[in-house]
Amino acid sequence: MGALSLAAATSASAAMTVGTFLAKAAPLRANPFTALTNPDYQVLKAEADAATRELRAEGAARQAAGKPPIACMPDGEKIGILQMLGGLDALSPADKKLPLKQGYAKVLSRTYPC
């Protein structure tokens, strides 16, 4: 899995669901000019980065074990936060109950299938 551009970290034990992530992101998306000053910005940034790092580590472990990758992102390709949010928005209601990492893995596998 190639580099993914997102943001900072929280512990895996405090993993947020896709639905919660999208609900907290909605006000920031509605008013992007004040997003950086919104207290939820850092929380969302940390959650997105934690999911990204965990997926990278999982991808490396899968590769080392000879298992197929989660997604086949071209080298040098990056997924931006707006693309990530759009992919999460498109998930089914059941998938929106998943932890962010699992929902994001679904987005990546649909965006960059192997």
PDB file of all heavy atoms in Angstrom, residues 9-53:
ATOM      1  N   ALA A   9      -2.402  10.958  15.682  1.00  0.00           N
ATOM      2  CA  ALA A   9      -2.806   9.629  16.179  1.00  0.00           C
ATOM      3  C   ALA A   9      -3.515   9.568  17.519  1.00  0.00           C
ATOM      4  O   ALA A   9      -3.311  10.396  18.357  1.00  0.00           O
ATOM      5  CB  ALA A   9      -1.578   8.765  16.272  1.00  0.00           C
ATOM      6  N   THR A  10      -4.318   8.509  17.686  1.00  0.00           N
ATOM      7  CA  THR A  10      -4.881   8.179  18.989  1.00  0.00           C
ATOM      8  C   THR A  10      -4.697   6.689  19.193  1.00  0.00           C
ATOM      9  O   THR A  10      -4.339   5.970  18.277  1.00  0.00           O
ATOM     10  CB  THR A  10      -6.393   8.499  19.076  1.00  0.00           C
ATOM     11  OG1 THR A  10      -7.095   7.624  18.225  1.00  0.00           O
ATOM     12  CG2 THR A  10      -6.686   9.929  18.733  1.00  0.00           C
ATOM     13  N   SER A  11      -4.995   6.210  20.363  1.00  0.00           N
ATOM     14  CA  SER A  11      -4.818   4.790  20.625  1.00  0.00           C
ATOM     15  C   SER A  11      -5.898   3.979  19.934  1.00  0.00           C
ATOM     16  O   SER A  11      -7.016   4.426  19.736  1.00  0.00           O
ATOM     17  CB  SER A  11      -4.872   4.536  22.133  1.00  0.00           C
ATOM     18  OG  SER A  11      -6.184   4.706  22.604  1.00  0.00           O
ATOM     19  N   ALA A  12      -5.535   2.752  19.576  1.00  0.00           N
ATOM     20  CA  ALA A  12      -6.473   1.870  18.894  1.00  0.00           C
ATOM     21  C   ALA A  12      -7.662   1.540  19.802  1.00  0.00           C
ATOM     22  O   ALA A  12      -8.752   1.267  19.318  1.00  0.00           O
ATOM     23  CB  ALA A  12      -5.760   0.595  18.456  1.00  0.00           C
ATOM     24  N   SER A  13      -7.452   1.563  21.103  1.00  0.00           N
ATOM     25  CA  SER A  13      -8.530   1.235  22.024  1.00  0.00           C
ATOM     26  C   SER A  13      -9.654   2.274  21.976  1.00  0.00           C
ATOM     27  O   SER A  13     -10.774   1.987  22.365  1.00  0.00           O
ATOM     28  CB  SER A  13      -7.991   1.104  23.447  1.00  0.00           C
ATOM     29  OG  SER A  13      -7.459   2.336  23.873  1.00  0.00           O
ATOM     30  N   ALA A  14      -9.348   3.473  21.527  1.00  0.00           N
ATOM     31  CA  ALA A  14     -10.344   4.534  21.456  1.00  0.00           C
ATOM     32  C   ALA A  14     -10.871   4.696  20.034  1.00  0.00           C
ATOM     33  O   ALA A  14     -11.320   5.763  19.661  1.00  0.00           O
ATOM     34  CB  ALA A  14      -9.741   5.841  21.938  1.00  0.00           C
ATOM     35  N   ALA A  15     -10.802   3.631  19.234  1.00  0.00           N
ATOM     36  CA  ALA A  15     -11.195   3.698  17.826  1.00  0.00           C
ATOM     37  C   ALA A  15     -12.634   4.191  17.671  1.00  0.00           C
ATOM     38  O   ALA A  15     -13.545   3.753  18.351  1.00  0.00           O
ATOM     39  CB  ALA A  15     -11.020   2.351  17.166  1.00  0.00           C
ATOM     40  N   MET A  16     -12.785   5.102  16.768  1.00  0.00           N
ATOM     41  CA  MET A  16     -14.066   5.731  16.453  1.00  0.00           C
ATOM     42  C   MET A  16     -14.715   4.976  15.293  1.00  0.00           C
ATOM     43  O   MET A  16     -14.014   4.489  14.415  1.00  0.00           O
ATOM     44  CB  MET A  16     -13.746   7.181  16.060  1.00  0.00           C
ATOM     45  CG  MET A  16     -14.902   8.062  15.759  1.00  0.00           C
ATOM     46  SD  MET A  16     -14.363   9.742  15.291  1.00  0.00           S
ATOM     47  CE  MET A  16     -13.731  10.371  16.829  1.00  0.00           C
ATOM     48  N   THR A  17     -16.038   4.900  15.285  1.00  0.00           N
ATOM     49  CA  THR A  17     -16.713   4.268  14.148  1.00  0.00           C
ATOM     50  C   THR A  17     -16.726   5.219  12.955  1.00  0.00           C
ATOM     51  O   THR A  17     -16.558   6.436  13.108  1.00  0.00           O
ATOM     52  CB  THR A  17     -18.166   3.886  14.475  1.00  0.00           C
ATOM     53  OG1 THR A  17     -18.919   5.083  14.676  1.00  0.00           O
ATOM     54  CG2 THR A  17     -18.270   2.958  15.674  1.00  0.00           C
ATOM     55  N   VAL A  18     -16.965   4.654  11.786  1.00  0.00           N
ATOM     56  CA  VAL A  18     -17.075   5.469  10.575  1.00  0.00           C
ATOM     57  C   VAL A  18     -18.195   6.494  10.744  1.00  0.00           C
ATOM     58  O   VAL A  18     -18.025   7.677  10.431  1.00  0.00           O
ATOM     59  CB  VAL A  18     -17.334   4.578   9.338  1.00  0.00           C
ATOM     60  CG1 VAL A  18     -17.676   5.424   8.118  1.00  0.00           C
ATOM     61  CG2 VAL A  18     -16.143   3.680   9.054  1.00  0.00           C
ATOM     62  N   GLY A  19     -19.339   6.058  11.247  1.00  0.00           N
ATOM     63  CA  GLY A  19     -20.482   6.957  11.414  1.00  0.00           C
ATOM     64  C   GLY A  19     -20.182   8.119  12.346  1.00  0.00           C
ATOM     65  O   GLY A  19     -20.548   9.267  12.063  1.00  0.00           O
ATOM     66  N   THR A  20     -19.504   7.840  13.448  1.00  0.00           N
ATOM     67  CA  THR A  20     -19.136   8.896  14.385  1.00  0.00           C
ATOM     68  C   THR A  20     -18.142   9.855  13.743  1.00  0.00           C
ATOM     69  O   THR A  20     -18.262  11.074  13.880  1.00  0.00           O
ATOM     70  CB  THR A  20     -18.550   8.296  15.682  1.00  0.00           C
ATOM     71  OG1 THR A  20     -19.529   7.441  16.272  1.00  0.00           O
ATOM     72  CG2 THR A  20     -18.149   9.374  16.667  1.00  0.00           C
ATOM     73  N   PHE A  21     -17.180   9.299  13.016  1.00  0.00           N
ATOM     74  CA  PHE A  21     -16.190  10.120  12.326  1.00  0.00           C
ATOM     75  C   PHE A  21     -16.888  11.064  11.349  1.00  0.00           C
ATOM     76  O   PHE A  21     -16.611  12.270  11.324  1.00  0.00           O
ATOM     77  CB  PHE A  21     -15.197   9.210  11.588  1.00  0.00           C
ATOM     78  CG  PHE A  21     -14.064   9.944  10.951  1.00  0.00           C
ATOM     79  CD1 PHE A  21     -12.912  10.241  11.660  1.00  0.00           C
ATOM     80  CD2 PHE A  21     -14.126  10.319   9.617  1.00  0.00           C
ATOM     81  CE1 PHE A  21     -11.854  10.910  11.074  1.00  0.00           C
ATOM     82  CE2 PHE A  21     -13.070  10.989   9.012  1.00  0.00           C
ATOM     83  CZ  PHE A  21     -11.929  11.277   9.741  1.00  0.00           C
ATOM     84  N   LEU A  22     -17.820  10.529  10.556  1.00  0.00           N
ATOM     85  CA  LEU A  22     -18.535  11.358   9.577  1.00  0.00           C
ATOM     86  C   LEU A  22     -19.413  12.406  10.259  1.00  0.00           C
ATOM     87  O   LEU A  22     -19.494  13.548   9.792  1.00  0.00           O
ATOM     88  CB  LEU A  22     -19.370  10.479   8.644  1.00  0.00           C
ATOM     89  CG  LEU A  22     -18.568   9.636   7.661  1.00  0.00           C
ATOM     90  CD1 LEU A  22     -19.486   8.651   6.936  1.00  0.00           C
ATOM     91  CD2 LEU A  22     -17.809  10.506   6.670  1.00  0.00           C
ATOM     92  N   ALA A  23     -20.054  12.026  11.355  1.00  0.00           N
ATOM     93  CA  ALA A  23     -20.903  12.984  12.075  1.00  0.00           C
ATOM     94  C   ALA A  23     -20.066  14.137  12.636  1.00  0.00           C
ATOM     95  O   ALA A  23     -20.485  15.301  12.575  1.00  0.00           O
ATOM     96  CB  ALA A  23     -21.656  12.275  13.199  1.00  0.00           C
ATOM     97  N   LYS A  24     -18.891  13.830  13.186  1.00  0.00           N
ATOM     98  CA  LYS A  24     -18.024  14.880  13.717  1.00  0.00           C
ATOM     99  C   LYS A  24     -17.415  15.726  12.596  1.00  0.00           C
ATOM    100  O   LYS A  24     -17.131  16.900  12.787  1.00  0.00           O
ATOM    101  CB  LYS A  24     -16.911  14.272  14.568  1.00  0.00           C
ATOM    102  CG  LYS A  24     -17.384  13.768  15.912  1.00  0.00           C
ATOM    103  CD  LYS A  24     -16.210  13.245  16.720  1.00  0.00           C
ATOM    104  CE  LYS A  24     -16.598  12.899  18.119  1.00  0.00           C
ATOM    105  NZ  LYS A  24     -16.836  14.051  18.972  1.00  0.00           N
ATOM    106  N   ALA A  25     -17.227  15.116  11.425  1.00  0.00           N
ATOM    107  CA  ALA A  25     -16.642  15.837  10.291  1.00  0.00           C
ATOM    108  C   ALA A  25     -17.649  16.747   9.595  1.00  0.00           C
ATOM    109  O   ALA A  25     -17.251  17.721   8.945  1.00  0.00           O
ATOM    110  CB  ALA A  25     -16.061  14.849   9.281  1.00  0.00           C
ATOM    111  N   ALA A  26     -18.934  16.465   9.720  1.00  0.00           N
ATOM    112  CA  ALA A  26     -19.966  17.228   8.999  1.00  0.00           C
ATOM    113  C   ALA A  26     -19.879  18.737   9.239  1.00  0.00           C
ATOM    114  O   ALA A  26     -19.887  19.504   8.265  1.00  0.00           O
ATOM    115  CB  ALA A  26     -21.353  16.689   9.330  1.00  0.00           C
ATOM    116  N   PRO A  27     -19.789  19.219  10.477  1.00  0.00           N
ATOM    117  CA  PRO A  27     -19.701  20.669  10.672  1.00  0.00           C
ATOM    118  C   PRO A  27     -18.426  21.275  10.077  1.00  0.00           C
ATOM    119  O   PRO A  27     -18.444  22.402   9.600  1.00  0.00           O
ATOM    120  CB  PRO A  27     -19.709  20.848  12.194  1.00  0.00           C
ATOM    121  CG  PRO A  27     -20.155  19.563  12.764  1.00  0.00           C
ATOM    122  CD  PRO A  27     -19.879  18.501  11.750  1.00  0.00           C
ATOM    123  N   LEU A  28     -17.343  20.512  10.098  1.00  0.00           N
ATOM    124  CA  LEU A  28     -16.089  20.998   9.532  1.00  0.00           C
ATOM    125  C   LEU A  28     -16.188  21.089   8.011  1.00  0.00           C
ATOM    126  O   LEU A  28     -15.684  22.030   7.398  1.00  0.00           O
ATOM    127  CB  LEU A  28     -14.930  20.084   9.927  1.00  0.00           C
ATOM    128  CG  LEU A  28     -14.376  20.281  11.333  1.00  0.00           C
ATOM    129  CD1 LEU A  28     -15.350  19.840  12.398  1.00  0.00           C
ATOM    130  CD2 LEU A  28     -13.081  19.524  11.466  1.00  0.00           C
ATOM    131  N   ARG A  29     -16.846  20.110   7.421  1.00  0.00           N
ATOM    132  CA  ARG A  29     -17.031  20.112   5.971  1.00  0.00           C
ATOM    133  C   ARG A  29     -17.980  21.231   5.545  1.00  0.00           C
ATOM    134  O   ARG A  29     -17.806  21.821   4.483  1.00  0.00           O
ATOM    135  CB  ARG A  29     -17.579  18.762   5.512  1.00  0.00           C
ATOM    136  CG  ARG A  29     -16.579  17.639   5.688  1.00  0.00           C
ATOM    137  CD  ARG A  29     -17.210  16.293   5.551  1.00  0.00           C
ATOM    138  NE  ARG A  29     -17.304  15.884   4.152  1.00  0.00           N
ATOM    139  CZ  ARG A  29     -17.853  14.746   3.769  1.00  0.00           C
ATOM    140  NH1 ARG A  29     -18.378  13.930   4.658  1.00  0.00           N
ATOM    141  NH2 ARG A  29     -17.897  14.440   2.496  1.00  0.00           N
ATOM    142  N   ALA A  30     -18.962  21.522   6.396  1.00  0.00           N
ATOM    143  CA  ALA A  30     -19.938  22.564   6.071  1.00  0.00           C
ATOM    144  C   ALA A  30     -19.313  23.951   6.131  1.00  0.00           C
ATOM    145  O   ALA A  30     -19.756  24.863   5.426  1.00  0.00           O
ATOM    146  CB  ALA A  30     -21.129  22.482   7.028  1.00  0.00           C
ATOM    147  N   ASN A  31     -18.307  24.125   6.972  1.00  0.00           N
ATOM    148  CA  ASN A  31     -17.666  25.432   7.125  1.00  0.00           C
ATOM    149  C   ASN A  31     -16.151  25.252   7.152  1.00  0.00           C
ATOM    150  O   ASN A  31     -15.522  25.381   8.209  1.00  0.00           O
ATOM    151  CB  ASN A  31     -18.159  26.115   8.394  1.00  0.00           C
ATOM    152  CG  ASN A  31     -17.834  27.587   8.391  1.00  0.00           C
ATOM    153  OD1 ASN A  31     -17.144  28.087   7.516  1.00  0.00           O
ATOM    154  ND2 ASN A  31     -18.323  28.276   9.408  1.00  0.00           N
ATOM    155  N   PRO A  32     -15.545  24.950   5.990  1.00  0.00           N
ATOM    156  CA  PRO A  32     -14.110  24.654   5.960  1.00  0.00           C
ATOM    157  C   PRO A  32     -13.213  25.817   6.390  1.00  0.00           C
ATOM    158  O   PRO A  32     -12.083  25.597   6.801  1.00  0.00           O
ATOM    159  CB  PRO A  32     -13.840  24.262   4.509  1.00  0.00           C
ATOM    160  CG  PRO A  32     -14.990  24.792   3.730  1.00  0.00           C
ATOM    161  CD  PRO A  32     -16.153  24.859   4.672  1.00  0.00           C
ATOM    162  N   PHE A  33     -13.713  27.031   6.321  1.00  0.00           N
ATOM    163  CA  PHE A  33     -12.893  28.186   6.693  1.00  0.00           C
ATOM    164  C   PHE A  33     -12.609  28.240   8.190  1.00  0.00           C
ATOM    165  O   PHE A  33     -11.624  28.838   8.611  1.00  0.00           O
ATOM    166  CB  PHE A  33     -13.538  29.489   6.214  1.00  0.00           C
ATOM    167  CG  PHE A  33     -13.625  29.558   4.723  1.00  0.00           C
ATOM    168  CD1 PHE A  33     -14.851  29.471   4.091  1.00  0.00           C
ATOM    169  CD2 PHE A  33     -12.477  29.678   3.938  1.00  0.00           C
ATOM    170  CE1 PHE A  33     -14.941  29.515   2.706  1.00  0.00           C
ATOM    171  CE2 PHE A  33     -12.550  29.721   2.559  1.00  0.00           C
ATOM    172  CZ  PHE A  33     -13.782  29.632   1.935  1.00  0.00           C
ATOM    173  N   THR A  34     -13.468  27.623   8.989  1.00  0.00           N
ATOM    174  CA  THR A  34     -13.244  27.606  10.435  1.00  0.00           C
ATOM    175  C   THR A  34     -12.866  26.219  10.944  1.00  0.00           C
ATOM    176  O   THR A  34     -12.732  26.019  12.146  1.00  0.00           O
ATOM    177  CB  THR A  34     -14.491  28.099  11.186  1.00  0.00           C
ATOM    178  OG1 THR A  34     -15.575  27.215  10.894  1.00  0.00           O
ATOM    179  CG2 THR A  34     -14.838  29.522  10.800  1.00  0.00           C
ATOM    180  N   ALA A  35     -12.680  25.270  10.044  1.00  0.00           N
ATOM    181  CA  ALA A  35     -12.404  23.885  10.436  1.00  0.00           C
ATOM    182  C   ALA A  35     -11.179  23.771  11.337  1.00  0.00           C
ATOM    183  O   ALA A  35     -11.194  23.024  12.324  1.00  0.00           O
ATOM    184  CB  ALA A  35     -12.237  23.008   9.203  1.00  0.00           C
ATOM    185  N   LEU A  36     -10.127  24.483  11.021  1.00  0.00           N
ATOM    186  CA  LEU A  36      -8.897  24.364  11.809  1.00  0.00           C
ATOM    187  C   LEU A  36      -9.049  24.836  13.244  1.00  0.00           C
ATOM    188  O   LEU A  36      -8.287  24.421  14.122  1.00  0.00           O
ATOM    189  CB  LEU A  36      -7.753  25.120  11.131  1.00  0.00           C
ATOM    190  CG  LEU A  36      -7.283  24.554   9.802  1.00  0.00           C
ATOM    191  CD1 LEU A  36      -6.218  25.458   9.191  1.00  0.00           C
ATOM    192  CD2 LEU A  36      -6.761  23.139   9.957  1.00  0.00           C
ATOM    193  N   THR A  37     -10.029  25.669  13.509  1.00  0.00           N
ATOM    194  CA  THR A  37     -10.245  26.158  14.871  1.00  0.00           C
ATOM    195  C   THR A  37     -11.270  25.323  15.644  1.00  0.00           C
ATOM    196  O   THR A  37     -11.447  25.521  16.837  1.00  0.00           O
ATOM    197  CB  THR A  37     -10.703  27.627  14.860  1.00  0.00           C
ATOM    198  OG1 THR A  37     -11.937  27.728  14.146  1.00  0.00           O
ATOM    199  CG2 THR A  37      -9.653  28.518  14.226  1.00  0.00           C
ATOM    200  N   ASN A  38     -11.918  24.396  14.972  1.00  0.00           N
ATOM    201  CA  ASN A  38     -12.900  23.532  15.612  1.00  0.00           C
ATOM    202  C   ASN A  38     -12.175  22.501  16.479  1.00  0.00           C
ATOM    203  O   ASN A  38     -11.238  21.864  16.020  1.00  0.00           O
ATOM    204  CB  ASN A  38     -13.748  22.840  14.542  1.00  0.00           C
ATOM    205  CG  ASN A  38     -14.893  22.046  15.117  1.00  0.00           C
ATOM    206  OD1 ASN A  38     -14.705  21.206  15.984  1.00  0.00           O
ATOM    207  ND2 ASN A  38     -16.075  22.304  14.608  1.00  0.00           N
ATOM    208  N   PRO A  39     -12.586  22.308  17.720  1.00  0.00           N
ATOM    209  CA  PRO A  39     -11.914  21.345  18.599  1.00  0.00           C
ATOM    210  C   PRO A  39     -11.922  19.912  18.049  1.00  0.00           C
ATOM    211  O   PRO A  39     -11.023  19.129  18.353  1.00  0.00           O
ATOM    212  CB  PRO A  39     -12.686  21.420  19.910  1.00  0.00           C
ATOM    213  CG  PRO A  39     -13.606  22.568  19.813  1.00  0.00           C
ATOM    214  CD  PRO A  39     -13.667  23.007  18.386  1.00  0.00           C
ATOM    215  N   ASP A  40     -12.921  19.568  17.252  1.00  0.00           N
ATOM    216  CA  ASP A  40     -12.979  18.213  16.688  1.00  0.00           C
ATOM    217  C   ASP A  40     -11.951  17.992  15.588  1.00  0.00           C
ATOM    218  O   ASP A  40     -11.655  16.862  15.234  1.00  0.00           O
ATOM    219  CB  ASP A  40     -14.376  17.905  16.149  1.00  0.00           C
ATOM    220  CG  ASP A  40     -15.359  17.566  17.250  1.00  0.00           C
ATOM    221  OD1 ASP A  40     -14.913  17.083  18.321  1.00  0.00           O
ATOM    222  OD2 ASP A  40     -16.564  17.768  17.042  1.00  0.00           O
ATOM    223  N   TYR A  41     -11.398  19.074  15.040  1.00  0.00           N
ATOM    224  CA  TYR A  41     -10.429  18.932  13.952  1.00  0.00           C
ATOM    225  C   TYR A  41      -9.252  18.045  14.361  1.00  0.00           C
ATOM    226  O   TYR A  41      -8.894  17.100  13.653  1.00  0.00           O
ATOM    227  CB  TYR A  41      -9.935  20.305  13.486  1.00  0.00           C
ATOM    228  CG  TYR A  41      -8.839  20.205  12.452  1.00  0.00           C
ATOM    229  CD1 TYR A  41      -9.142  19.924  11.125  1.00  0.00           C
ATOM    230  CD2 TYR A  41      -7.505  20.367  12.801  1.00  0.00           C
ATOM    231  CE1 TYR A  41      -8.149  19.814  10.175  1.00  0.00           C
ATOM    232  CE2 TYR A  41      -6.511  20.263  11.861  1.00  0.00           C
ATOM    233  CZ  TYR A  41      -6.825  19.984  10.551  1.00  0.00           C
ATOM    234  OH  TYR A  41      -5.843  19.867   9.614  1.00  0.00           O
ATOM    235  N   GLN A  42      -8.641  18.339  15.490  1.00  0.00           N
ATOM    236  CA  GLN A  42      -7.482  17.561  15.938  1.00  0.00           C
ATOM    237  C   GLN A  42      -7.865  16.115  16.251  1.00  0.00           C
ATOM    238  O   GLN A  42      -7.100  15.195  15.992  1.00  0.00           O
ATOM    239  CB  GLN A  42      -6.805  18.222  17.143  1.00  0.00           C
ATOM    240  CG  GLN A  42      -6.090  19.510  16.815  1.00  0.00           C
ATOM    241  CD  GLN A  42      -4.995  19.333  15.772  1.00  0.00           C
ATOM    242  OE1 GLN A  42      -4.291  18.334  15.723  1.00  0.00           O
ATOM    243  NE2 GLN A  42      -4.853  20.328  14.907  1.00  0.00           N
ATOM    244  N   VAL A  43      -9.055  15.922  16.811  1.00  0.00           N
ATOM    245  CA  VAL A  43      -9.533  14.573  17.122  1.00  0.00           C
ATOM    246  C   VAL A  43      -9.683  13.775  15.828  1.00  0.00           C
ATOM    247  O   VAL A  43      -9.214  12.633  15.725  1.00  0.00           O
ATOM    248  CB  VAL A  43     -10.875  14.631  17.888  1.00  0.00           C
ATOM    249  CG1 VAL A  43     -11.479  13.247  18.033  1.00  0.00           C
ATOM    250  CG2 VAL A  43     -10.685  15.289  19.235  1.00  0.00           C
ATOM    251  N   LEU A  44     -10.326  14.373  14.832  1.00  0.00           N
ATOM    252  CA  LEU A  44     -10.532  13.691  13.553  1.00  0.00           C
ATOM    253  C   LEU A  44      -9.212  13.451  12.836  1.00  0.00           C
ATOM    254  O   LEU A  44      -8.998  12.380  12.253  1.00  0.00           O
ATOM    255  CB  LEU A  44     -11.481  14.498  12.670  1.00  0.00           C
ATOM    256  CG  LEU A  44     -12.900  14.622  13.210  1.00  0.00           C
ATOM    257  CD1 LEU A  44     -13.707  15.586  12.357  1.00  0.00           C
ATOM    258  CD2 LEU A  44     -13.575  13.266  13.289  1.00  0.00           C
ATOM    259  N   LYS A  45      -8.347  14.419  12.896  1.00  0.00           N
ATOM    260  CA  LYS A  45      -7.033  14.294  12.272  1.00  0.00           C
ATOM    261  C   LYS A  45      -6.276  13.123  12.895  1.00  0.00           C
ATOM    262  O   LYS A  45      -5.674  12.311  12.201  1.00  0.00           O
ATOM    263  CB  LYS A  45      -6.277  15.612  12.461  1.00  0.00           C
ATOM    264  CG  LYS A  45      -4.979  15.700  11.739  1.00  0.00           C
ATOM    265  CD  LYS A  45      -4.422  17.111  11.908  1.00  0.00           C
ATOM    266  CE  LYS A  45      -3.047  17.203  11.273  1.00  0.00           C
ATOM    267  NZ  LYS A  45      -2.418  18.472  11.481  1.00  0.00           N
ATOM    268  N   ALA A  46      -6.328  13.029  14.210  1.00  0.00           N
ATOM    269  CA  ALA A  46      -5.656  11.945  14.923  1.00  0.00           C
ATOM    270  C   ALA A  46      -6.250  10.586  14.571  1.00  0.00           C
ATOM    271  O   ALA A  46      -5.528   9.610  14.351  1.00  0.00           O
ATOM    272  CB  ALA A  46      -5.730  12.185  16.433  1.00  0.00           C
ATOM    273  N   GLU A  47      -7.564  10.505  14.509  1.00  0.00           N
ATOM    274  CA  GLU A  47      -8.231   9.246  14.161  1.00  0.00           C
ATOM    275  C   GLU A  47      -7.866   8.805  12.742  1.00  0.00           C
ATOM    276  O   GLU A  47      -7.587   7.633  12.500  1.00  0.00           O
ATOM    277  CB  GLU A  47      -9.751   9.385  14.274  1.00  0.00           C
ATOM    278  CG  GLU A  47     -10.260   9.443  15.691  1.00  0.00           C
ATOM    279  CD  GLU A  47     -10.196   8.113  16.418  1.00  0.00           C
ATOM    280  OE1 GLU A  47     -10.243   7.042  15.778  1.00  0.00           O
ATOM    281  OE2 GLU A  47     -10.103   8.154  17.658  1.00  0.00           O
ATOM    282  N   ALA A  48      -7.886   9.740  11.808  1.00  0.00           N
ATOM    283  CA  ALA A  48      -7.560   9.416  10.416  1.00  0.00           C
ATOM    284  C   ALA A  48      -6.121   8.939  10.308  1.00  0.00           C
ATOM    285  O   ALA A  48      -5.826   7.958   9.612  1.00  0.00           O
ATOM    286  CB  ALA A  48      -7.806  10.628   9.524  1.00  0.00           C
ATOM    287  N   ASP A  49      -5.220   9.593  10.991  1.00  0.00           N
ATOM    288  CA  ASP A  49      -3.820   9.199  10.924  1.00  0.00           C
ATOM    289  C   ASP A  49      -3.601   7.850  11.583  1.00  0.00           C
ATOM    290  O   ASP A  49      -2.828   7.029  11.081  1.00  0.00           O
ATOM    291  CB  ASP A  49      -2.924  10.258  11.562  1.00  0.00           C
ATOM    292  CG  ASP A  49      -1.473  10.000  11.243  1.00  0.00           C
ATOM    293  OD1 ASP A  49      -1.148   9.796  10.055  1.00  0.00           O
ATOM    294  OD2 ASP A  49      -0.649   9.980  12.172  1.00  0.00           O
ATOM    295  N   ALA A  50      -4.252   7.610  12.701  1.00  0.00           N
ATOM    296  CA  ALA A  50      -4.116   6.320  13.378  1.00  0.00           C
ATOM    297  C   ALA A  50      -4.600   5.190  12.466  1.00  0.00           C
ATOM    298  O   ALA A  50      -3.935   4.163  12.339  1.00  0.00           O
ATOM    299  CB  ALA A  50      -4.896   6.321  14.689  1.00  0.00           C
ATOM    300  N   ALA A  51      -5.731   5.388  11.817  1.00  0.00           N
ATOM    301  CA  ALA A  51      -6.255   4.370  10.894  1.00  0.00           C
ATOM    302  C   ALA A  51      -5.282   4.146   9.745  1.00  0.00           C
ATOM    303  O   ALA A  51      -5.014   3.001   9.355  1.00  0.00           O
ATOM    304  CB  ALA A  51      -7.624   4.789  10.368  1.00  0.00           C
ATOM    305  N   THR A  52      -4.716   5.214   9.222  1.00  0.00           N
ATOM    306  CA  THR A  52      -3.760   5.114   8.124  1.00  0.00           C
ATOM    307  C   THR A  52      -2.515   4.336   8.549  1.00  0.00           C
ATOM    308  O   THR A  52      -2.070   3.424   7.851  1.00  0.00           O
ATOM    309  CB  THR A  52      -3.361   6.521   7.632  1.00  0.00           C
ATOM    310  OG1 THR A  52      -4.533   7.179   7.163  1.00  0.00           O
ATOM    311  CG2 THR A  52      -2.347   6.458   6.516  1.00  0.00           C
ATOM    312  N   ARG A  53      -1.967   4.693   9.701  1.00  0.00           N
ATOM    313  CA  ARG A  53      -0.766   4.004  10.184  1.00  0.00           C
ATOM    314  C   ARG A  53      -1.029   2.530  10.447  1.00  0.00           C
ATOM    315  O   ARG A  53      -0.220   1.666  10.116  1.00  0.00           O
ATOM    316  CB  ARG A  53      -0.229   4.686  11.440  1.00  0.00           C
ATOM    317  CG  ARG A  53       0.638   5.883  11.152  1.00  0.00           C
ATOM    318  CD  ARG A  53       1.474   6.299  12.360  1.00  0.00           C
ATOM    319  NE  ARG A  53       0.747   6.168  13.614  1.00  0.00           N
ATOM    320  CZ  ARG A  53      -0.086   7.085  14.097  1.00  0.00           C
ATOM    321  NH1 ARG A  53      -0.283   8.200  13.435  1.00  0.00           N
ATOM    322  NH2 ARG A  53      -0.696   6.899  15.237  1.00  0.00           N
TER     323      ARG A  53
END
